[in-house]
Amino acid sequence: MNFLVFGPPGAGKGTQCKLFVTRRGFVQVSTGDLLREAIKSKTELGNKAREFMDKGLLVPDELLLGILTDSLKSMDKNFILDGYPRNLNQADALEKVLAQVCKSITAAVFLEVPSSVLEERLSGRRVCEACGAVFNISLKKTRQEGLCDVCGGKLIQRSDDRIDVIKERLQVYEKNTAPLRDYYKKKGLYKEVDGNKEEEQVYSSITKVINL
Ligand code: AP5
């Protein structure tokens, strides 16, 4: 079973995907993580993507198609798409890529979270520089301030989690990504989950809507 999870920035997509990875053996395909990795490795894609990401804008579709296709081509486990598609053009492109690699998705899970909650989640998010674990200075505190509970690594703030960039990302989401709700309703794949609950409750709701 493969599915995708979508929703506004800060809805908890990454948090939930990681639970499915550790508990259910899924592979998370996160275009955001792939792009941040490319930036860290200073690849050509990373250098191009950085200027869009730092402004809270979407990276151009044509830059992403290659890494997405490569990830899915070599996939030999159940996967969750996190952060792709982000617009209608990408949704059409995804259908074609999935057909090429003889795979399909059985659900598009939308995480519903009110915008008033998203800003607090995003501005408070801290990420471990070493292992990528995600925390929050008010909603998911670490035992020791500034240090990762999992590996003891240093916690940092993502460069696109500054308040001015957060506002831009939320607008970009409304304009480009929100229309995917209707797109997947028409395809009969749309499932909605209340993402404004405890992590465990959200996880349990997702497992129910995808019949896992
Ligand atoms: P990406 O990394 O995909 O960012 P995003 O979609 O904006 O989502 P986030 O990672 O910010 O949030 P999330 O929903 O995963 O929330 P999280 O679980 O971390 O993309 C970044 C950029 O890359 C884009 O802006 C774009 O430039 C580019 N990009 C990526 N994909 C692209 C594409 N397909 N096309 C073009 N460009 C693309 O949680 C957030 C916080 O909330 C954390 O602190 C967490 O602890 C907390 N939290 C989570 N769940 C809960 C809960 N249930 N209760 C309380 N707190 C919670």
Side-chain angles (χ1 to χ4, degrees), residues 13-15 31 36 57 59 64 83 90 125 135 169 197:
K13 304 180 291 293
T15 301
T31 41
R36 280 184 287 278
L57 302 174
V59 172
L64 274 166
Q90 290 185 7
R125 173 168 51 191
F135 302 94
R169 286 164 63 202
K197 294 258 164 66

Side-chain angles (χ1 to χ4, degrees), residues 150-161:
V150 180
C151 74
K154 192 177 148 210
L155 298 186
I156 53 164
Q157 185 170 31
R158 262 171 52 173
S159 59
D160 59 351
D161 279 345

Side-chain angles (χ1 to χ4, degrees), residues 78-89:
N78 290 337
F79 62 85
I80 316 173
L81 281 169
D82 165 12
Y84 197 100
R86 286 288 244 269
N87 59 32
L88 294 171
N89 187 36

